[in-house]
Amino acid sequence: MIPPRTLREMAHEAGFDLVRFGPVEVGDHADHFARWLDAGRAGDMHYLHRNRARIVDPHLWAPDARSVMALAVAYGPAGTSLPGGGRIARYAAGRDYHRVLGNATRKLAKRLQGEGVDPAHLRLGVDAVPVLERALAVRAGIGFLAKSSMVISPDLGPYLSLAELTLPFVVDGDGPAPGSCGTCTRCLDACPTGAIVAPFQVDARRCLSYTTIELRGAIPHELRAAQGDWLFGCDVCLEVCPFTRFAGGGGALGDDLRRTHPALETFTLTGVLELGPEDYERHWVGTAVRRATRQGLRRNAAIVLGNRRDPSATPALARALADDDAVVRGHAAWALGRLGGNGALLAGSLAREPDAWVRDEIETALAGGEHGA
């Protein structure tokens, strides 16, 4: 067995800002997750239902695990927007965090292998594995669970990217981190869509980090105006958190996450709306923003352009009305309705539109009702 102090040194040398040890079991987080799923709050994330058993029992994912090394990188607090507008969640500003933290965790695993640990008994994860990552982080002491369901470090604040490495031997746990939200409800009060329905309860179906990234197809009408300027994700619950005053610092891995990806410095909202498949594959490689898919980014751009009500976006939105993608056409119609003064343009498009859903979107925009005006 490798001493905890040595393990910490190895993890810090690999670039992690926080290193804690905890149990493999997720405790009462399993029941909380089950209730959340059963309430339908996962939306269309059906993979969570399919992997339900493995998610609540990490031993099904890592059968040899006896302890968890919980890892975190601080990436805040600088914000990122496209030139001229269109906000990007901070964690997605730079290199894809899956790659950054994944490479660092694999580097750490190789160090352990050099110390005699059989790599077949190690399991590593960065977000995309079937495990309650935040539960493991909280139980190990990376931070406390916030009312927003995020993990907050009392030392480095709420802007954290998490990873974990399971160990085939027992390491004494660090125990819970100090701190709590106390009586604060700023995240609940500030959530633009009311997605934090109660302390520690988030309805993903209303969360902009779900609708702009995970959701495929149309974004519900009642959430479009509330999306505001957010092209990808949302940071509001983090921005208003009092613990944000501790954010910052961090090492080289955090710098990789903060350093703006070239695509985010090059493309405007209209450029994203008109993003072709070749440019998408050429310029948007190596960014977590790709998770939204090309269709999703173009859909999101149409909504943001509508919310900004900038008449200069009209020509691009008009071209989008003739796009091959029905999802893009429908959201472009909504945006043109928000801008106003486009009745003739929308009526002409309606006469040519073959898709029933898009026709409904155009008719709503023409009616100038609560969703289109």
Side-chain angles (χ1 to χ4, degrees):
M1 175 179 137
I2 305 172
R5 180 176 178 178
T6 303
L7 291 169
R8 289 185 203 277
E9 291 173 353
M10 290 179 177
H12 286 307
E13 289 170 3
F16 290 100
D17 298 317
L18 295 173
V19 185
R20 300 289 187 270
F21 301 101
V24 180
E25 296 75 23
V26 299
D28 57 7
H29 295 268
D31 290 337
H32 183 84
F33 175 71
R35 291 192 298 271
W36 181 77
L37 274 183
D38 292 341
R41 290 176 174 168
D44 291 340
M45 294 184 286
H46 303 299
Y47 58 89
L48 295 177
H49 291 275
R50 291 194 302 270
N51 290 289
R52 180 175 185 150
R54 297 174 66 199
I55 290 172
V56 299
D57 184 1
H59 288 289
L60 297 178
W61 168 59
D64 298 316
R66 298 296 176 267
S67 296
V68 169
M69 183 186 293
L71 308 159
V73 171
Y75 64 82
T80 300
S81 296
L82 301 187
R87 298 188 69 187
I88 307 291
R90 286 164 173 80
Y91 75 86
R95 290 176 57 203
D96 188 341
Y97 68 98
H98 296 95
R99 298 187 183 188
V100 173
L101 273 69
N103 289 339
T105 310
R106 282 187 286 273
K107 178 180 178 181
L108 176 57
K110 287 183 178 179
R111 288 285 306 274
L112 297 184
Q113 183 179 354
E115 295 293 328
V117 179
D118 187 342
H121 298 321
L122 297 172
R123 292 287 185 276
L124 61 92
V126 181
D127 187 35
V129 296
V131 69
L132 291 180
E133 189 170 55
R134 294 178 191 175
L136 295 178
V138 168
R139 300 199 83 203
I142 287 289
F144 61 86
L145 188 66
K147 290 177 181 177
S148 63
S149 293
M150 302 297 283
V151 177
I152 297 178
S153 163
D155 300 316
L156 295 179
Y159 293 107
L160 301 175
S161 286
L162 305 176
E164 52 281 335
L165 181 65
T166 65
L167 304 172
F169 48 83
V170 175
V171 180
D172 289 339
D174 288 298
S180 74
C181 293
T183 60
C184 179
T185 60
R186 291 187 190 181
C187 59
L188 282 80
D189 301 334
C191 180
T193 59
I196 310 174
V197 296
F200 314 107
Q201 297 183 42
V202 176
D203 190 337
R205 296 168 296 185
R206 299 192 62 82
C207 179
L208 295 181
S209 288
Y210 167 76
T211 58
T212 64
I213 301 173
E214 298 291 336
L215 181 63
R216 304 295 177 246
I219 290 179
H221 274 282
E222 66 271 19
L223 302 179
R224 295 179 189 177
Q227 185 175 321
D229 206 39
W230 289 103
L231 176 69
F232 180 93
C234 178
D235 280 333
V236 171
C237 63
L238 302 177
E239 291 172 341
V240 301
C241 177
F243 282 89
T244 297
R245 68 183 184 274
F246 299 119
L253 295 185
D255 290 340
D256 281 346
L257 299 178
R258 285 186 291 267
R259 191 176 298 114
T260 306
H261 188 281
L264 307 186
E265 297 179 323
T266 305
F267 285 80
T268 62
L269 282 168
T270 55
V272 174
L273 177 65
E274 300 187 305
L275 183 63
E278 291 185 1
D279 281 343
Y280 178 68
E281 294 300 332
R282 180 184 302 118
H283 296 292
W284 293 76
V285 174
T287 166
V289 177
R290 283 178 64 93
R291 174 66 182 172
T293 74
R294 174 173 162 265
Q295 180 193 75
L297 287 174
R298 299 177 69 210
R299 170 202 65 190
N300 297 347
I303 291 177
V304 175
L305 287 169
N307 286 333
R308 292 175 68 83
R309 299 178 187 261
D310 183 352
S312 68
T314 299
L317 289 166
R319 289 190 293 272
L321 277 179
D323 197 85
D324 291 339
D325 191 323
V327 170
V328 173
R329 296 199 304 274
H331 288 80
W334 178 87
L336 287 165
R338 293 277 284 178
L339 267 61
N342 294 299
L345 175 62
L346 288 165
S349 179
L350 178 62
R352 300 185 300 271
E353 179 55 55
D355 186 278
W357 172 77
V358 179
R359 288 199 301 272
D360 286 344
E361 289 285 340
I362 295 173
E363 288 172 352
T364 300
L366 282 168
E370 59 174 332
H371 302 312

